[in-house]
Amino acid sequence: MIEVRNSDTLLEVRGLHTYFYTYEGVVKAVNSVSYRLNRGEITGLVGESGSGKSVTAQSIIRLVKAPGKVVEGEVWLDGQDLMSCSEAEMQTIRGRKISMIFQEPRAALNPLFTVGDQISRVIQLREGCSRSVADSHAVEMMRAVEIADPDRRANAYPHELSGGMCQRVMVAMALSANPLLLIADEPTTGLDVTVQAQVLDLIRLRVKSAGSACLFITHDLGVVAELCERVIVMYAGRVVEQGPVAEIFSSPRHPYTQGLIASTLRVDIDKPISTIPGTVPDAVNLPSGCTFHPRCPFAEDLCQQEEPQMVEAGKNHTTRCHIVSGRIEREMLEEAWTLETA
Ligand SMILES: Nc1ncnc2c1ncn2[C@@H]1O[C@H](COP(=O)(O)OP(=O)(O)O)[C@@H](O)[C@H]1O
Ligand code: SF4
Ligand SMILES: [Mg+2]
């Protein structure tokens, strides 16, 4: 089924709901999430641990594990409705159109093949080239992700390499596929700062030159500021704010986004200016109304009673808060996010 879309949009997620049916109750890990990813752009997906970032990514590629299930929503990739594809079609799409760099690289690599072989197979599939040509491309890709002595390391099995090295192999494999969509879930966790910068450069270069789109999941807002054009902020399974990076960093409208930015390390003063009080709510018993209300310094009665709807906060910038929508009249004072410095 082909549908004509906005030509810049590569991926569109509409009203996605992914729930886990556990003994404790239903976990609404992804709750009515909608967004678009544009060609040639890197979009950051941020939020504290447990906010639903990884499950969102797994839902797109239809790899949510039981007891989880996508219960509602549409995912369109380049005019193709992924939710109505057969499992066989999805396998081809995962190999050729979407690549994923997982948080846990060891789980994603095949223990039975050398890492060089695994990268080479991806290249053979894409290029239809001979094995020996693909093998030498694979070594070049390993060099590009700063794996020293790649000729020798290509013959290593995953268990013979460190976690950081496996991470780089995963990046090399994902980028070798030249995917339309690259999903990177905390791809630089565990890498040292220099290698991290090189991996990010490589991702940027690939996305820009191939005109693909990238969903970059991270808890590091510094990386988002440096790498991404757009950012999506998730809290307790919901998108609470999304828009252009420059605008969201200079004037965040949702209190949670403000809190996240205030709690990142400020280089000029060598510490964050604040921390967000409290913790992410229990996913089975989410607070009523605005799920952020128990932690929000601006919360009023309405926040406990009614869930805010998504509203425009600027050009291509939306958020979900009763103050921004004008239902509550009050100012969001920046001082609310300043640490007491005794
Ligand atoms: N297998 C599972 N069973 C039950 N709940 C799960 C499972 N996997 C994830 N969840 C729940 O889904 C929510 C979102 O998880 P996740 O997407 O991994 O968060 P993030 O990647 O933002 O840290 C969490 O509340 C988590 O407890
Ligand atoms: S709706 Fe209320 S509780 Fe939620 S973020 Fe806005 S002010 Fe805070
Ligand atoms: Mg995660």
Side-chain angles (χ1 to χ4, degrees):
M1 212 194 311
I2 304 292
E3 213 183 77
V4 181
R5 325 246 97 217
N6 175 344
S7 62
D8 282 330
T9 303
L10 178 78
L11 182 89
E12 184 171 358
V13 175
R14 289 192 211 151
L16 188 70
H17 293 71
T18 306
Y19 296 172
F20 287 88
Y21 296 88
T22 70
Y23 289 114
E24 288 77 33
V26 179
V27 176
K28 295 182 177 174
V30 175
N31 196 354
S32 194
V33 162
S34 300
Y35 57 85
R36 290 176 176 196
L37 302 184
N38 296 328
R39 290 172 209 273
E41 277 186 4
I42 305 177
T43 301
L45 178 57
V46 301
E48 287 160 292
S49 181
S51 53
K53 306 182 297 294
S54 295
V55 175
T56 299
Q58 290 155 11
S59 304
I60 293 172
I61 54 172
R62 298 216 346 229
L63 286 180
V64 178
K65 292 198 186 86
K69 190 175 177 336
V70 175
V71 291
E72 199 184 321
E74 294 172 38
V75 177
W76 292 84
L77 176 76
D78 201 22
Q80 190 172 19
D81 175 10
L82 299 189
M83 290 299 147
S84 64
C85 286
S86 67
E87 183 44 39
E89 284 171 324
M90 273 317 288
Q91 274 179 20
T92 313
I93 289 168
R94 281 185 219 116
R96 305 209 171 167
K97 293 189 177 175
I98 306 177
S99 284
M100 175 122 186
I101 304 170
F102 293 91
Q103 221 164 343
E104 188 27 80
R106 275 188 205 286
L109 294 173
N110 189 326
L112 303 176
F113 294 96
T114 65
V115 295
D117 254 352
Q118 294 184 56
I119 302 170
S120 173
R121 271 159 204 260
V122 171
I123 297 170
Q124 286 170 54
L125 196 72
R126 186 195 83 207
E127 303 285 339
C129 59
S130 71
R131 181 169 170 184
S132 65
V133 169
D135 282 353
S136 63
H137 279 192
V139 170
E140 283 321 303
M141 273 314 288
M142 290 176 70
R143 206 186 306 279
V145 292
E146 300 290 324
I147 294 178
D149 200 1
D151 289 293
R152 187 173 59 83
R153 288 241 169 73
N155 296 317
Y157 288 88
H159 74 266
E160 295 172 319
L161 299 176
S162 68
M165 208 59 86
C166 286
Q167 191 90 21
R168 280 180 258 176
V169 169
M170 268 240 68
V171 173
M173 225 162 99
L175 295 179
S176 295
N178 237 352
L180 276 178
L181 172 65
L182 174 68
I183 301 177
D185 193 349
E186 313 260 3
T188 55
T189 308
L191 298 183
D192 71 49
V193 180
T194 330
V195 178
Q196 173 174 331
Q198 277 145 356
V199 167
L200 296 183
D201 274 346
L202 200 64
I203 291 176
R204 179 173 17 224
L205 190 74
R206 283 282 160 141
V207 169
K208 299 296 165 195
S209 63
S212 34
C214 175
L215 182 66
F216 193 95
I217 301 175
T218 180
H219 58 266
D220 188 340
L221 288 188
V223 169
V224 173
E226 206 183 298
L227 186 74
C228 304
E229 276 85 14
R230 291 183 59 78
V231 61
I232 301 168
V233 184
M234 282 188 79
Y235 185 75
R238 288 232 188 244
V239 173
V240 294
E241 184 160 15
Q242 59 175 315
V245 162
E247 192 174 310
I248 290 197
F249 277 74
S250 62
S251 49
R253 301 298 302 281
H254 196 282
Y256 180 61
T257 316
Q258 294 172 358
L260 277 185
I261 293 172
S263 59
T264 57
L265 193 67
R266 279 263 300 265
V267 182
D268 50 345
I269 51 174
D270 201 27
K271 61 176 186 206
I273 60 166
S274 179
T275 51
I276 305 175
T279 51
V280 179
D282 172 5
V284 178
N285 296 302
L286 289 175
S288 61
C290 172
T291 47
F292 188 55
H293 85 253
R295 304 174 72 190
C296 181
F298 313 112
E300 300 205 352
D301 290 348
L302 179 69
C303 304
Q304 295 184 35
Q305 293 151 10
E306 234 182 83
E307 178 163 31
Q309 299 300 307
M310 248 333 178
V311 290
E312 296 279 328
K315 191 168 184 280
N316 293 322
H317 178 179
T318 51
T319 189
R320 201 186 267 286
C321 169
H322 288 311
I323 297 180
V324 181
S325 71
R327 294 284 310 279
I328 294 177
E329 260 184 65
R330 74 170 283 179
E331 271 186 274
M332 290 187 202
L333 298 171
E334 222 178 309
E335 293 86 270
W337 295 113
T338 308
L339 272 185
E340 296 291 330
T341 42

